[in-house]
Amino acid sequence: MPKKLSLKGRDLLAMSDLSTPEIELILKTARTIKKNPKKYSSALKGKNLGMIFQKPSTRTRVSFEVAMYQLGGQALNLTSNELQLKRGETVADTARVLSRFLDAMTARVFSHNDVLDLAKYGTIPVINALSDYEHPCQALADLLTILEHKKTLKNIKTVYVGDGNNVAHSLALAVVQMGGYIEVATPKGYEMQDSLIATAQKIGKQTGGKLVLSYNAQDTATQADVIYVDVWTSMGQEEEHKKRLADFQGFQINSDLLARAKKDCIVMHCLPAHRGEEITDEVVDGPNSVVWDQAENRLHAQKALLYLVLGK
Ligand code: CP
Ligand code: NVA
């Protein structure tokens, strides 16, 4: 008998921690909970999620907090400034101690090594709420959004235009894990990391998914079903802002670029948007934009994840 799929007690540090059937299970569960949220209102009764944030957040923090409340549990907001981390207590010791109080931790960190350490030294599930390398919770909500609008992740052209950053990494992996096709166009010098590209290519061999890299936003956007964009300057890169503004010219999602895509192309952005930089008002507020549905899906995807990791 095949073993029943279970995510109980698991960490989510990177998209590649999940197999394709596990991603499918999260998406299916997200759709079920989204349709009938009341049915799950006590699913995590008595469970406590600690949320460590080294960087600001609107969507991730609020959606995790609301997700826990809606599932009957509670969330504790632990900004790193208020923890002893700020005064030099190690991530490892923080993980050991918090594991004695909490049922799970989510963490937004500057260095991906910090989420790896939380998972290594803690004894409870750890969920990456964004690191400099990946943003897997975002990618789960992105898959859910594409599925809702396009009904499939296969045989469509998903493109990402801009910085080869954490969001690009998780999206590329997620699409390839689902057997989809994704093209990523970045300026030279802003490519995704080689290690991530190698992982995506390896996974693609098993799933039939494909990642194609480019330096040409116009060609990449042509006949796209999904155009995805993120900020050009991520948190922690503020001192590079001026240089990045110059280097990313030609990579803005505006109506000219959108005109190259299919008429029913959806435009996605993980948000926050820097309007007038990577995306124009016209596009983010226009008829092709699904960014508010996408933001809402952070809640539904994370509820599914929490339910599967912490539920009975
Ligand atoms: N997309 C996203 O993670 O948004 P926040 O930074 O507001 O959490
Ligand atoms: N790439 C962005 C994503 C914000 C949600 C950053 O890391 O700042």
Side-chain angles (χ1 to χ4, degrees):
M1 266 244 299
K3 234 178 109 205
K4 197 164 175 273
L5 215 52
S6 168
L7 284 167
K8 193 149 173 63
R10 287 271 295 278
D11 298 321
L12 175 58
L13 309 178
M15 271 316 285
S16 50
D17 289 346
L18 298 170
S19 67
T20 305
E22 286 168 349
I23 298 173
E24 282 166 350
L25 175 66
I26 295 170
L27 297 175
K28 193 172 149 222
T29 307
R31 297 179 98 155
T32 307
I33 299 180
K34 185 173 178 177
K35 247 190 245 149
N36 194 355
K38 290 223 166 73
K39 195 172 158 203
Y40 297 85
S41 60
S42 322
L44 297 189
K45 193 160 179 265
K47 302 285 183 190
N48 293 299
L49 173 75
M51 309 189 299
I52 301 174
F53 278 85
Q54 295 179 359
K55 303 178 187 178
S57 167
T58 297
R59 280 141 289 267
T60 310
R61 194 184 69 71
V62 177
S63 56
F64 263 116
E65 196 164 335
V66 171
M68 281 306 286
Y69 290 139
Q70 290 187 356
L71 292 168
Q74 61 174 342
L76 287 83
N77 187 23
L78 311 168
T79 58
S80 51
N81 274 351
E82 288 157 13
L83 294 173
Q84 293 286 10
L85 270 172
K86 165 109 169 121
R87 294 181 58 251
E89 186 168 24
T90 65
V91 171
D93 288 351
T94 304
R96 290 179 177 113
V97 171
L98 290 180
S99 295
R100 302 288 177 108
F101 303 135
L102 300 167
D103 298 289
M105 287 183 267
T106 186
R108 168 166 290 194
V109 297
F110 283 98
S111 162
H112 191 68
N113 283 331
D114 283 357
V115 279
L116 299 180
D117 277 353
L118 281 173
K120 183 171 168 194
Y121 296 104
T123 53
I124 56 176
V126 175
I127 299 171
N128 179 356
L130 180 148
S131 69
D132 57 348
Y133 192 63
E134 276 221 39
H135 196 359
C137 294
Q138 180 67 55
L140 291 172
D142 297 340
L143 291 179
L144 184 62
T145 309
I146 297 173
L147 270 178
E148 285 177 348
H149 285 272
K150 293 285 161 201
K151 311 288 172 233
T152 177
L153 292 159
K154 290 189 177 149
N155 305 317
I156 61 167
K157 181 179 181 183
T158 298
V159 310
Y160 175 96
V161 175
D163 189 17
N165 61 17
N166 44 8
V167 169
H169 281 175
S170 295
L171 179 75
L173 278 180
V175 172
V176 169
Q177 279 167 298
M178 297 305 288
Y181 175 87
I182 180 160
E183 236 173 274
V184 176
T186 66
K188 288 205 169 114
Y190 295 95
E191 299 88 354
M192 296 194 300
Q193 291 185 32
D194 290 343
S195 54
L196 194 292
I197 297 169
T199 307
Q201 282 166 346
K202 196 169 144 213
I203 292 172
K205 286 208 179 97
Q206 291 150 14
T207 62
K210 198 168 163 58
L211 165 66
V212 172
L213 306 170
S214 136
Y215 292 118
N216 188 318
Q218 275 76 23
D219 287 352
T220 294
T222 302
Q223 288 301 306
D225 295 282
V226 178
I227 295 186
Y228 198 116
V229 62
D230 184 17
V231 292
W232 292 337
T233 305
S234 284
M235 290 179 276
Q237 299 172 333
E238 287 76 9
E239 73 288 356
E240 297 170 26
H241 183 65
K242 218 167 141 207
K243 176 169 169 30
R244 283 173 172 265
L245 271 186
D247 292 347
F248 281 87
Q249 287 315 304
F251 286 80
Q252 184 186 61
I253 309 299
N254 51 35
S255 12
D256 284 349
L257 198 79
L258 188 57
R260 293 177 173 264
K262 288 192 186 150
K263 228 179 148 44
D264 63 351
C265 172
I266 56 168
V267 173
M268 299 178 69
H269 192 314
C270 61
L271 303 176
H274 288 192
R275 291 165 176 257
E277 290 187 15
E278 76 278 358
I279 194 162
T280 56
D281 284 336
E282 202 179 7
V283 173
V284 77
D285 297 326
N288 298 79
S289 169
V290 299
V291 300
W292 315 121
D293 293 344
Q294 184 186 357
E296 182 192 322
N297 278 336
R298 296 295 307 277
L299 173 69
H300 306 299
Q302 282 155 209
K303 280 173 85 172
L305 180 65
L306 291 166
Y307 174 72
L308 291 166
V309 169
L310 287 176
K312 286 215 180 81

